[in-house]
């Protein structure tokens, strides 16, 4: 197990993580620290515990929003895939099939982007 030193709200913490995950943990800590510092700037230094809790809730809200957007994008991909299959079965316009293919590709790329966030 590896250890990494992170800094949140100007305090250093030693955190254990899997080997090779050090940079990822540091990025996560910087992201969280930005939220905590912004909170401290708006509500003051109300104690690390409260600032961390509020920061965690903000990050959780962001994650929830991304999950909702990902679910919508995945549902739209499924809808377009079904529509494409129906058009193909009906042997319809190739331009419509191509347009649906392009829309599906864009939505799948968006879904992958959300999954990585």
């Amino acid at each position: 197990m590896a250890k990494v030193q992170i800094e949140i709200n100007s305090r250093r913490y030693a955190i254990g993580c899997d080997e090779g995950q050090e940079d990822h943990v540091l990025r996560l800590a910087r992201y969280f620290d930005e939220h905590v510092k912004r909170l401290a700037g708006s509500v003051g230094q109300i104690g690390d515990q409260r600032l961390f809790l509020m920061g965690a809730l903000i990050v959780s809200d962001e994650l929830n929003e991304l999950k909702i957007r990902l679910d919508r994008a995945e549902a739209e991909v499924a809808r377009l895939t079904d529509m494409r299959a129906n058009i193909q079965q009906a042997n319809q316009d190739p331009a419509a099939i191509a347009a649906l293919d392009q829309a599906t590709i864009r939505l799948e790329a968006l879904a992958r982007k959300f999954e990585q966030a």
Side-chain angles (χ1 to χ4, degrees):
M1 177 162 271
K3 281 203 174 185
V4 65
Q5 291 287 323
I6 63 170
E7 187 173 309
I8 308 291
N9 200 27
S10 300
R11 293 185 190 212
R12 295 186 67 77
Y13 299 90
I15 301 292
C17 64
D18 290 335
E19 292 290 335
Q21 292 297 310
E22 297 89 347
D23 288 339
H24 181 66
V25 170
L26 288 169
R27 278 192 306 277
L28 292 173
R30 281 191 295 272
Y31 182 75
F32 185 70
D33 187 44
E34 289 173 16
H35 282 77
V36 171
K37 284 181 178 175
R38 215 171 310 135
L39 280 167
S42 65
V43 299
Q45 288 293 339
I46 57 174
D48 285 345
Q49 194 172 27
R50 284 189 177 173
L51 285 173
F52 288 13
L53 176 60
M54 291 171 70
L57 289 172
I58 290 170
V59 171
S60 295
D61 184 51
E62 289 177 359
L63 176 62
N64 184 61
E65 278 299 313
L66 287 173
K67 284 183 176 182
I68 289 169
R69 291 171 65 184
L70 176 60
D71 289 346
R72 287 180 184 152
E74 288 176 340
E76 184 65 7
V77 166
R79 187 185 72 78
L80 290 172
T81 301
D82 289 345
M83 186 183 292
R84 183 184 190 283
N86 290 338
I87 289 172
Q88 279 182 321
Q89 286 176 355
N91 209 8
Q92 301 237 347
D93 183 8
I97 292 171
L100 285 171
D101 285 344
Q102 289 303 312
T104 301
I105 289 168
R106 287 192 303 270
L107 284 167
E108 286 173 339
L110 180 62
R112 280 190 302 279
K113 182 179 177 182
F114 286 139
E115 286 174 347
Q116 294 171 354

